[in-house]
Amino acid sequence: MFGERARRALEHRVERLERGGETPQGALTQSRHLKRAGGAWGDSFGLLATRSLQIIIVLILTTGVVIGMSTLSTVVIPILLALIFASTFAPVMSWLRGHRVPSALATVLVLLTIVLLLAGVGWLIVWAVRDQWDELSSQAETGLQQVIDWVKTLPFAPDHDQLVEWQRNITDFLSGFLTSSQFGSGALAGVGIVTNFVTGLILMGVVLFFFLKDGPQIWRFLLRPFEGEALARAERAGDKTVQTLGHYVRGTASVAAVDAIGIGVGLLILQVPLALPLAVLVFVLAFIPIVGATLAGILAALVALVANGPLSAVLVVGVVVLVNQLEGNFLQPVLMGRALKLHSLVILLALTIGTVLSGVLGAVLAVPIAAVVWGIIQVWDGPDLPAKPFRRKPGEV
């Protein structure tokens, strides 16, 4: 970079000398300095230093962006969620606009559909838990007593007095915690979390309304500073972002629905309590790749173990493994498509980074954001032309 700049400066000096605007001695002295500078930065070590400086600057900027987004998470996360929902329902909005439905009315219809779906799922969960809670409580007590009886048969099992003492210590700890100042501080922190959640939910609803209603106009406004090739690249990146987010969410929702139905039917056949809430939980956790299916299977197996015994728990684990294998090998490649397929290592790294930065919500958002980044790279230099460093080499599979 510095060698090229020095060469151009030297050529400029030569042109000025030819026009008579500079003395030969001054031009010669300046050219020597420029050649010396160009030689210092033009060799391999200078190139390494230049690239290192560029990497440091990029890392500093990235760190600043991440810190800023973490500080403004109450604003950034609702906007990201609104963008994901708007991309998911973009085909519905296009269809409604194509049938000459006003944008405001189409937006209201889509938002009402989302609210009704969420309210219906919540009502089903509450109804199922309330209807089966008494039965599950009694079965849990019986199962816990069976576990205690089994522990007593072990050679190193604690005696009855030790169990009573442990129970009394746990009760005293809980009683002391509920009356301590730490519990009060935790309650205040909980109120703050609820307040932030409600604020973010309201903000997400408002932003989603405008994204659905005026999304194309907002995007055209953001593109005004770009011209020429930069404008074409920004348009490709925006279209790819909406397309990737929409395909990812719709594909994941379809896969999650199949997982929930398959595991839910298996739980009903095995007569596991709370089969419907567990099926809904499977659907929700399926949006966390790899980890979500494991957590859902563990929870379902624990409920089966407490309610019906070890054999039922083993059968539930078998059902979960079978459904996940069928989904991963047959259904997911068809619904998600090759364009959205990320390597398992990339998914694990994205999940880890998202969890460290924003907890569970970060784990949910990490994979679609990674898919968007990869999608933009795929169209960086053209509609089907990836960025140069990421293009396939000749003969590469």
Side-chain angles (χ1 to χ4, degrees):
M1 181 180 69
F2 288 95
E4 181 67 18
R5 185 179 300 173
R7 184 183 65 79
R8 292 179 180 177
L10 180 61
E11 291 177 354
H12 179 67
R13 290 291 184 182
V14 172
E15 290 178 0
R16 291 186 60 184
L17 178 62
E18 291 177 350
R19 292 195 301 265
E22 187 172 342
T23 63
Q25 184 64 31
L28 182 60
T29 304
Q30 184 68 21
S31 65
R32 289 175 179 174
H33 288 298
L34 291 174
K35 285 182 178 180
R36 190 178 298 111
W41 289 96
D43 58 2
S44 58
F45 186 76
L47 181 62
L48 175 62
T50 303
R51 293 291 181 262
S52 300
L53 182 61
Q54 292 173 343
I55 293 173
I56 292 173
I57 294 174
V58 170
L59 289 177
I60 292 175
L61 292 176
T62 303
T63 304
V65 171
V66 171
I67 293 175
M69 293 178 65
S70 300
T71 305
L72 300 175
S73 59
T74 307
V75 177
V76 173
I77 291 178
I79 293 177
L80 288 177
L81 291 176
L83 177 61
I84 291 174
F85 279 115
S87 302
T88 304
F89 290 95
V92 179
M93 291 295 299
S94 300
W95 184 84
L96 291 174
R97 289 193 182 101
H99 287 74
R100 298 184 178 180
V101 178
S103 295
L105 179 59
T107 302
V108 171
L109 291 176
V110 171
L111 290 177
L112 285 177
T113 302
I114 296 174
V115 171
L116 290 176
L117 287 175
L118 295 177
V121 171
W123 179 81
L124 285 176
I125 295 176
V126 173
W127 172 78
V129 172
R130 184 182 60 184
D131 186 61
Q132 300 183 23
W133 183 256
D134 294 336
E135 178 185 357
L136 181 63
S137 298
S138 61
Q139 290 177 337
E141 292 178 0
T142 304
L144 181 60
Q145 188 60 44
Q146 291 176 352
V147 172
I148 293 176
D149 294 339
W150 174 74
V151 169
K152 290 180 179 179
T153 61
L154 297 176
F156 50 85
D159 55 23
H160 178 72
D161 294 336
Q162 288 178 321
L163 292 175
V164 172
E165 183 180 357
W166 291 350
Q167 182 179 3
R168 185 171 56 253
N169 291 336
I170 293 174
T171 304
D172 294 340
F173 171 77
L174 293 177
S175 300
F177 175 74
L178 292 176
T179 58
S180 64
S181 59
Q182 184 179 1
F183 176 75
S185 302
L188 292 176
V191 172
I193 293 174
V194 172
T195 303
N196 290 334
F197 174 78
V198 173
T199 303
L201 184 63
I202 295 174
L203 179 61
M204 185 195 72
V206 174
V207 175
L208 177 59
F209 175 82
F210 287 108
F211 277 178
L212 291 173
K213 178 178 176 293
D214 302 321
Q217 291 84 349
I218 294 174
W219 179 235
R220 298 310 306 177
F221 173 79
L222 295 176
L223 289 178
R224 287 181 182 179
F226 299 96
E227 294 180 357
E229 178 59 28
L231 176 61
R233 179 173 293 165
E235 289 177 342
R236 291 194 303 268
D239 294 340
K240 193 65 176 180
T241 297
V242 174
Q243 178 185 355
T244 301
L245 288 176
H247 285 177
Y248 180 85
V249 176
R250 290 190 295 270
T252 303
S254 301
V255 172
V258 173
D259 285 349
I261 293 173
I263 294 176
V265 170
L267 296 177
L268 289 174
I269 293 174
L270 296 174
Q271 297 182 352
V272 177
L274 303 178
L276 181 59
L278 288 173
V280 175
L281 187 63
V282 169
F283 177 83
V284 174
L285 291 178
F287 284 87
I288 306 177
I290 301 175
V291 180
T294 304
L295 291 177
I298 292 174
L299 292 174
L302 287 176
V303 174
L305 175 64
V306 172
N308 298 339
L311 179 60
S312 178
V314 172
L315 293 176
V316 167
V317 172
V319 170
V320 172
V321 171
L322 177 62
V323 171
N324 280 282
Q325 288 299 316
L326 293 175
E327 165 257 309
N329 294 322
F330 298 100
L331 186 62
Q332 190 171 10
V334 175
L335 294 178
M336 301 295 290
R338 294 180 61 87
L340 300 178
K341 187 174 179 60
L342 297 174
H343 195 276
S344 299
L345 178 60
V346 176
I347 294 177
L348 286 174
L349 292 176
L351 287 174
T352 304
I353 295 173
T355 304
V356 171
L357 293 178
S358 299
V360 176
L361 191 57
V364 175
L365 296 176
V367 177
I369 291 175
V372 167
V373 172
W374 178 243
I376 293 175
I377 291 175
Q378 294 296 99
V379 297
W380 187 256
D381 289 333
D384 296 315
L385 187 62
K388 189 174 181 180
F390 298 93
R391 296 175 190 173
R392 292 179 180 270
K393 298 295 187 296
E396 183 179 351
V397 180

